[in-house]
Amino acid sequence: MQNLSAKIIGVGMSVPEKRLTNFDLEKMVDTSDEWISKRVGIKERRVAEENEYNSTFATAAAKDAIEMAGLTPEEIDFIIVGTTTGDTAYPSVACIVQNNLGAVNAAVVDVAAACTGFIYGAGIAWSMIKSGLMKNILVIASEVNTAMIDWHDRDTCILFGDGAGAAVFTATEETGTGVLSMELGGDGSCQELLVMPNSGSRKYTNPDGTPMMRAIQMTGNEVFKNAVRRMNEAALAVLKKAGLSNEDVDLLIAHQANIRIIDAVAKRLKLSPEKVYINIQKYGNTSAATIPIALCEAVQEGRVKSGDLLVVDAFGAGLTWGAMAIRWA
Ligand code: ACO
């Protein structure tokens, strides 16, 4: 069999027009721009309107990624969407995007790995391409988190935003180019740290028997510690698997959940600030979508050049985590 790998040839992103600033949140809950900026690093986030769905942003991001890749929708073999906030439980967002794009030859699936959804999707794409089963795979991550927010809960409502990012992976025979290595992991024993009650078939009730609200419940400080540990370990693992070290990294694109988490991971990896991509201030935590949105902006801003070594690194509910080392083509 040929020595195949997968490289990214197109990226795209789409976020809602509507902005919700920290100053807007000051009017909604007992919080301040100063607290959010200092403790989390967010200044504003984007919020979907009622007539905008997860698939709206997923489709727009996908169109740009396919255009940059120079492909037609018919050439896409597989559409994978990382999401836990799809339009509906079924059809999947991938099915809706396939129809919107006219990608009639594509297989379709959504991947539920919370904030690690893009990395898990990219891992599946890499494996399918590496095995020679498929050639062009569109990996999207898209979230409308603000539909799942308790706007009275200052612990969580300040954190999240909406949006989508996408990347087209294609087969390459060039050695040392594209995806070099991958690390995926999970720890279901920590499932209680991040839960979205009443978002599936299990019924959650309050002590008085009333249905619990469908809104994120998080043990923030425990999630924080796990995020730093797991993202650090995942980044080191992909570097080791690729025969590289932290000194080889040109750009770290880490899950944008909290600026202090990113700083802590970067410090452990001994990366200087110019080697760490940050856009959390503009979009907040868009769950699975933070990595492809950041990747798209990094490419558009000229922060990623041919030959650069990228490490993408994410962490989320489950718990789940994952990283990839990518030599940019
Ligand atoms: N505004 C003002 N004060 C606040 C706010 C707020 N929005 N939220 C909490 N506080 C207060 C608390 O009440 C507390 O006050 P006290 O000291 O009087 O009791 C104080 O600030 C400190 O609270 P902590 O919860 O200890 O604050 P912390 O520094 O841990 O920050 C945060 C909280 C931002 C949630 C942090 O723990 C975090 O980022 N955790 C990780 C989140 C994450 O990574 N999520 C990713 C996964 S999401 C997914 O997978 C879907």
Side-chain angles (χ1 to χ4, degrees):
M1 199 171 67
Q2 304 144 290
N3 194 13
L4 284 173
S5 188
K7 63 179 179 181
I8 295 174
I9 53 169
V11 288
M13 63 174 278
S14 170
V15 293
E17 286 293 322
K18 187 176 165 188
R19 291 174 152 86
L20 185 71
T21 67
N22 293 347
F23 297 105
D24 296 327
L25 282 164
E26 282 182 1
K27 296 177 200 131
M28 296 161 64
V29 286
D30 181 15
T31 192
S32 65
D33 171 58
E34 193 198 350
W35 193 94
I36 303 171
S37 305
K38 217 159 112 188
R39 308 288 290 189
V40 196
I42 301 171
K43 297 300 282 184
E44 61 179 32
R45 64 289 290 143
R46 301 299 180 96
V47 177
E49 301 279 7
E50 271 191 16
N51 62 349
E52 294 176 319
Y53 316 122
N54 183 310
S55 59
T56 312
F57 306 110
T59 303
K63 275 186 182 160
D64 286 354
I66 293 173
E67 192 188 320
M68 183 178 162
L71 298 176
T72 63
E74 292 84 356
E75 289 175 285
I76 300 294
D77 299 315
F78 197 4
I79 300 172
I80 303 171
V81 181
T83 189
T84 44
T85 58
D87 299 17
T88 44
Y90 50 86
S92 64
V93 176
C95 278
I96 301 168
V97 171
Q98 185 217 39
N99 186 52
N100 291 347
L101 296 175
V104 290
N105 299 310
V108 279
V109 74
D110 284 2
V111 172
C115 301
T116 320
F118 181 79
I119 309 269
Y120 265 81
I124 296 167
W126 185 47
S127 316
M128 293 295 256
I129 291 171
K130 221 172 148 42
S131 66
L133 287 172
M134 290 182 178
K135 190 172 174 218
N136 300 313
I137 302 186
L138 172 64
V139 183
I140 306 166
S142 182
E143 305 281 10
V144 178
N145 289 312
T146 59
M148 319 280 188
I149 293 284
D150 176 356
W151 292 107
H152 299 99
D153 178 12
R154 72 173 183 175
D155 289 345
T156 53
C157 76
I158 58 145
L159 299 173
F160 296 95
D162 304 333
V168 175
F169 290 75
T170 197
T172 178
E173 287 177 51
E174 297 163 51
T175 44
T177 294
V179 181
L180 305 178
S181 58
M182 171 182 83
E183 173 81 1
L184 298 175
D187 181 2
S189 73
C190 293
Q191 59 186 277
E192 301 299 334
L193 295 182
L194 267 162
V195 183
M196 180 71 72
N198 288 327
S199 55
S201 54
R202 178 172 163 189
K203 304 276 180 275
Y204 285 78
T205 49
N206 295 309
D208 66 0
T210 54
M212 211 178 262
M213 190 178 181
R214 187 192 59 177
I216 189 162
Q217 291 186 358
M218 178 170 65
T219 312
N221 46 8
E222 285 303 316
V223 174
F224 191 108
K225 282 185 263 177
N226 274 284
V228 173
R229 177 181 152 211
R230 297 303 191 177
M231 285 209 284
N232 178 52
E233 287 172 354
L236 289 173
V238 291
L239 289 169
K240 192 172 176 201
K241 285 180 187 179
L244 299 164
S245 83
N246 50 345
E247 287 172 12
D248 297 306
V249 176
D250 293 298
L251 195 65
L252 171 72
I253 298 182
H255 177 42
Q256 310 281 309
N258 187 319
I259 187 85
R260 292 184 294 132
I261 295 177
I262 303 170
D263 285 347
V265 173
K267 196 173 163 196
R268 278 168 174 70
L269 294 172
K270 300 188 179 68
L271 297 178
S272 51
E274 70 277 8
K275 292 190 170 183
V276 183
Y277 193 80
I278 289 167
N279 65 358
I280 188 174
Q281 70 281 4
K282 295 193 279 184
Y283 307 118
N285 181 349
T286 56
S287 298
T290 74
I291 299 281
I293 288 175
L295 176 64
C296 181
E297 289 207 320
V299 169
Q300 287 172 352
E301 290 165 14
R303 295 275 301 270
V304 184
K305 294 175 288 303
S306 179
D308 277 359
L309 179 72
L310 263 61
V311 171
V312 290
D313 197 3
F315 173 89
L319 301 174
T320 58
W321 58 87
M324 267 184 173
I326 301 171
R327 181 74 67 191
W328 199 251

